[in-house]
Amino acid sequence: MPPRTRRTEGLSRERIVEAAVELLDTAGEAGLTFRTLTERLATGAGAIYWHVANKDELLTTATDAVVAEALPAASAGSPEEEIRAVALGLFDAIEQHPWLATQLLMQLTRNPGGPVAPRIFEAIGRQIGALGVPEHSWFTATSVLVHYILGTAGQTATAEVSTTREAFLDTVARSWENLDPEAYPFTRGVAKQLRNHDDREQFLAGIDLVLAGVTTRHSS
């Protein structure tokens, strides 16, 4: 069989990934098919298969492209500032792309050898090393931050997709306020804080708590 030749000069892998992200944003993972992609790009399936083998590869590449764009460029800031910038970049990306939280979890658990997990671990892990954390603790400290960032941002995005943020928080707060005061005094007490809290502010406070724990543990 003769070697494959390029089917089209106008279609690039980057354009395919860009169109895939657009479809994911508007229709979710279920709406991303090679048929819808060929229609959006006004091309044939063969031209797409030249660049991307299957849907799994397309999802991986789309996820990596969004993460790469979300991560900030290196700067002269402190390690703490750099970690906060990475965290906020991922938080905002997950908020902007509702499908991203699920795909990030999939990439970390089912495809850790792919491009996404190393990209995120590198962005945070370098700063963990710069904080003076001993090498034997790099993976643990970095993993804690990665799971906090993706878990918290993903939970926030899921809640906002299902309903409006205000309605969701109000419903939960009212259910907490109606709990048995003897069995749930703390939960009832923080119900008002739940209703009025700022997700972004709380997210950054959590990053600071984790960083405080990391630096205190290894302050020697």
Side-chain angles (χ1 to χ4, degrees):
M1 178 180 295
R4 293 187 301 175
T5 57
R6 188 174 299 277
R7 298 289 298 274
T8 177
E9 293 298 329
L11 186 64
S12 67
R13 183 179 176 90
E14 291 73 20
R15 179 67 190 106
I16 292 171
V17 172
E18 180 184 343
V21 170
E22 293 170 356
L23 280 170
L24 286 165
D25 288 345
T26 56
E29 183 180 340
L32 175 63
T33 66
F34 274 66
R35 171 179 285 185
T36 56
L37 196 55
T38 56
E39 291 174 354
R40 178 171 288 252
L41 292 169
T43 187
I48 295 177
Y49 280 116
W50 171 266
H51 297 281
V52 183
N54 50 50
K55 185 174 179 178
D56 285 342
E57 182 182 341
L58 183 58
L59 285 168
T60 297
T61 307
T63 302
D64 187 50
V66 172
V67 169
E69 185 177 351
L71 296 179
S75 71
S78 68
E80 293 90 345
E81 290 171 338
E82 292 291 295
I83 289 173
R84 291 189 193 99
V86 170
L88 276 179
L90 291 171
F91 183 91
D92 290 341
I94 290 173
E95 188 174 48
Q96 182 180 356
H97 306 281
W99 54 273
L100 185 60
T102 300
Q103 283 306 312
L104 285 173
L105 178 61
M106 296 280 286
Q107 293 300 318
L108 289 177
T109 57
R110 299 187 184 182
N111 190 25
V116 178
R119 189 184 295 279
I120 295 174
F121 267 76
E122 187 69 23
I124 296 175
R126 287 189 185 186
Q127 306 308 323
I128 289 295
L131 282 171
V133 175
E135 186 173 352
H136 65 79
S137 295
W138 285 358
F139 177 72
T140 298
T142 302
S143 295
V144 169
L145 276 163
V146 169
H147 285 92
Y148 170 79
I149 291 168
L150 300 187
T152 304
Q155 182 181 19
T156 301
T158 300
E160 292 186 353
V161 166
S162 62
T163 182
T164 65
R165 178 182 184 278
E166 293 75 14
F168 174 77
L169 293 179
D170 184 65
T171 298
V172 177
R174 282 189 284 107
S175 69
W176 286 12
E177 289 167 345
N178 291 328
L179 291 171
D180 184 334
E182 293 187 3
Y184 300 96
F186 170 81
T187 307
R188 282 171 53 92
V190 298
K192 184 176 181 181
Q193 295 177 33
L194 168 68
R195 180 182 282 114
N196 298 325
H197 84 279
D198 180 272
D199 290 328
R200 193 184 189 88
E201 196 174 281
Q202 186 184 63
F203 175 73
L204 284 176
I207 293 292
D208 289 342
L209 284 172
V210 175
L211 287 175
V214 169
T215 53
T216 299
R217 182 184 178 97
H218 300 293
S219 59
S220 60

